Amino acid sequence: MKLHRLAFTLTLPLAVLGGTALAAPAPTAPPAAATRPTAPEPAPANAKLPTPSSAAQKLYSAAKADLLQVRSLLRSGRTQSSVGSGFLVGTSNLVLTNYHVVSQFALDPETYTGEWVDTAGQRGNIELLAVDVLHDLAVVRVNRYGTGVFKLPDGPLKLTQGQYLYSLGNPLDLGFAISEGAYNGVIARTFYDQLMFSGPINSGMSGGPAVTADGEVAGINVSKRLDGELVSFLVPVRYAQELLRRVDPAVKPPQDFTAIVTQQLLAHQKAMVDQLLSGPLTLKTMGPYQVPVRESEQMRCWGQSNAQANARGEKPFAVDNTSCTMESAVFVSDTLQTGQVGIRHQYLRSTGLDRIRFAQLSSASFKNEALGSHGDRRLTGPECTEQFIRTRSLPMRAVMCVRAYRKFAGLYDFTVLTASTDDALMNLQSRLDVRGVSYDNGMRSARAFLQALGREDGR
């Protein structure tokens, strides 16, 4: 089965890693239309620069003392490894930032440590107090105090679509900056709420605040779409309020946050699988087959067919594909995102091949599936079992592969791959991928998927 990347989410967590953007692994986007770079128009001799926003000038002037850059450094030689932003909360010495900005020294404190630098060039060490990996937030403690400019609202902050917001941070490690944009609502296609900010934020601004014209913190910079124009995202401030309430300055924080991250990922996978299996999976028709999908605000399905090429005689077979995937995943480290479900179906039928050639075609498609390698440092090699089974109405060849997370005990990736065996000139191949789940929830998902596959005519 060839993989069709029809649904693609291209997001960029906005830290800078080793001088390059720390980009989320993402499917390949369709090629953009070719464009020709245009030579810049010479500026008229009397051209004037745009008038700066008085609100932005006022905000930056008031806020710059409490705006910090958060750096991850190699302990050996203190070489900079990644950079993001953060801000002092009120008059405290607590700094809010993103989890992905501090993930290196949260998970590998033997190798990495943290440092803050302010707009005046002063610097110091930071101490990681708390993380919220699901909402991409962290709280660190520094050896200086805020002036009180960044105040978190006591309750929910009411925003109006189109309302101006101002994002602050250190884009591309070039210097501290402020940018203007607009609030455009809560986006629907993520497992956890995020705000859409129609304004320019760039790598290095992760963890910086986005504030109203009155200076109230509305959200924390977190990511942007790579395939859009000024489509950026903020973590709603209420999640930061909840994390700050869980911080106990009197308790010595753990040196290594791996166990805490594991517990948070286990909570996420339970919520994710409970939502996936909260009701019967939706059944779609592909030829005579019924295939399960789950369409929701977090999971979208896309379809593709070569029927026209087949009708023109260019292909001696026809194939329809349905692909469903969650459009968001949980960032754990620069090499691992998890907590995601994907479903694919391929309906293949011969229009000009004999049985042997069609069997070779469908077998090659099944064989081409990638199930992971033993060389992956994040996961164990796939342990697979294969059986010929029959669901309520469909005989199938079924393969189930399980891989364990090396660093996060109790979490697994499950893959279920099936191929129908009911017809010599027609074939249904299906695949379920559930990433970052407990063994029990992986088995629950696999059983529900297999039980839903069938034929309408019940042959």
Side-chain angles (χ1 to χ4, degrees), residues 351-368:
T351 57
L353 298 175
D354 58 34
R355 293 185 173 203
I356 294 177
R357 293 177 64 197
F358 183 76
Q360 291 173 334
L361 176 70
S362 55
S363 294
S365 179
F366 196 78
K367 187 178 178 181
N368 285 340

Side-chain angles (χ1 to χ4, degrees), residues 236-260:
V237 70
R238 71 175 187 277
Y239 295 128
Q241 294 167 318
E242 292 170 7
L243 182 60
L244 282 167
R245 280 196 286 270
R246 298 204 298 268
V247 173
D248 183 352
V251 176
K252 187 176 180 180
Q255 182 69 19
D256 188 332
F257 279 79
T258 299
I260 292 172

